[in-house]
Amino acid sequence: VQLQASGGGSVQAGGSLRLSCAASGSIIRINDMEWYRQPPGKQRELVATISSGGSTNYVDAVKGRAIISRDNAKNTVYLQMNSLKPDDTGVYYCRADVRWSPNYEHEFWGQGTLVTVSS
């Protein structure tokens, strides 16, 4: 199983970006999918979570500015980020709990996509 993240880039404060993360490989089912970010010089932090049924949760710092969604048919999770701030700068990683055989489920991580927000 592989997760491929894309959509990062450089934007000015107030702008928007849409990140995507597509899972591929031997997949029976994907449960929770999440986006994390790692600001420069800081620890990786959870940004948003979406369950297989579509329930979502967000870290307070992005509430009202971010929307996480998923397309189960495409095994893809998205993160729409609006009203971006310089504090949103960092490498964004996707993570997924993947059932890849009838008896095994593991977490998988994407490679990260860089978001840079300038003031």
Side-chain angles (χ1 to χ4, degrees):
V1 175
Q2 291 187 326
L3 272 61
Q4 181 70 42
S6 61
S10 296
V11 297
Q12 291 192 326
S16 298
L17 280 176
R18 188 190 194 210
L19 309 182
S20 299
C21 176
S24 61
S26 177
I27 298 171
I28 294 176
R29 174 186 171 89
I30 301 178
N31 292 314
D32 286 354
M33 302 185 84
E34 297 174 331
W35 284 99
Y36 285 74
R37 67 185 179 188
Q38 187 165 16
K42 297 184 178 180
Q43 300 271 17
R44 190 175 299 188
E45 61 183 8
L46 177 63
V47 176
T49 301
I50 186 166
S51 70
S52 58
S55 297
T56 59
N57 281 292
Y58 301 90
V59 67
D60 285 347
V62 305
K63 281 181 180 177
R65 301 188 298 117
I67 299 173
I68 187 171
S69 61
R70 62 192 287 171
D71 184 334
N72 290 330
K74 296 181 178 179
N75 292 325
T76 299
V77 63
Y78 306 96
L79 184 67
Q80 176 71 41
M81 292 284 294
N82 302 316
S83 303
L84 282 161
K85 305 175 181 180
D87 284 349
D88 294 317
T89 294
V91 179
Y92 283 68
Y93 299 89
C94 54
R95 191 198 75 84
D97 292 321
V98 180
R99 182 166 294 275
W100 54 272
S101 83
N103 299 313
Y104 293 98
E105 179 175 314
H106 288 113
E107 69 169 9
F108 293 89
W109 289 83
Q111 84 286 6
T113 184
L114 177 63
V115 172
T116 303
V117 184
S118 58
S119 57

